[in-house]
Amino acid sequence: MSPAAVAPAPTPDAWSFYVVRCGDGSLYAGIAKDARARFRAHAEGKGAKYTRGRGPLELLRVVVCGAKGDALAVEARFKRRSRAEKLRLVGRKARLAAFARRVVDARALTR
């Protein structure tokens, strides 16, 4: 996919990668078609088991990736990073978007 595949505005069928900071300072990363609705589910205790009881939660970043496979690849790469690198990536929106673009572009080369 091209760099345009990581767009700021989601389409109804686009998948997004998102990062949440939990009340204990830990980070949670996931994917969803509607990241904001998924975040609300986490905040209400209906999301992932990991986020339950770790509130208050803060939605740090959302990056639209397009295809589900691309979003899964971004999530997997992000989770392999050290905590310090994850914090650096979510520190500025442009950094996380660039990271996601590199992952998506690398996937496109291997297809």
Side-chain angles (χ1 to χ4, degrees):
M1 297 212 144
S2 69
V6 183
T11 60
D13 58 341
W15 284 81
S16 297
F17 165 73
Y18 64 93
V19 181
V20 172
R21 183 187 329 262
C22 299
D24 63 3
S26 63
L27 298 176
Y28 176 82
I31 69 165
K33 279 195 167 190
D34 184 344
R36 284 165 179 54
R38 183 71 175 138
F39 172 73
R40 285 191 299 277
H42 287 303
E44 294 168 0
K46 299 174 186 170
K49 185 182 280 189
Y50 182 84
T51 58
R52 291 183 207 149
R54 292 181 188 261
L57 306 176
E58 176 186 4
L59 182 61
L60 296 178
R61 296 282 179 245
V62 176
V63 179
V64 178
C65 298
K68 182 178 184 179
D70 292 336
L72 285 168
V74 172
E75 177 188 24
R77 281 277 171 92
F78 182 83
K79 287 182 174 182
R80 284 187 289 223
R81 301 284 185 240
S82 68
R83 177 171 171 76
E85 179 68 6
K86 290 174 187 175
L87 290 171
R88 189 182 79 72
L89 287 170
V90 298
R92 288 185 42 212
K93 186 176 183 176
R95 279 191 190 134
L96 190 59
F99 169 79
R101 266 194 304 279
R102 286 192 306 272
V103 172
V104 170
D105 289 347
R107 272 181 50 81
L109 293 174
T110 61
R111 290 183 197 158

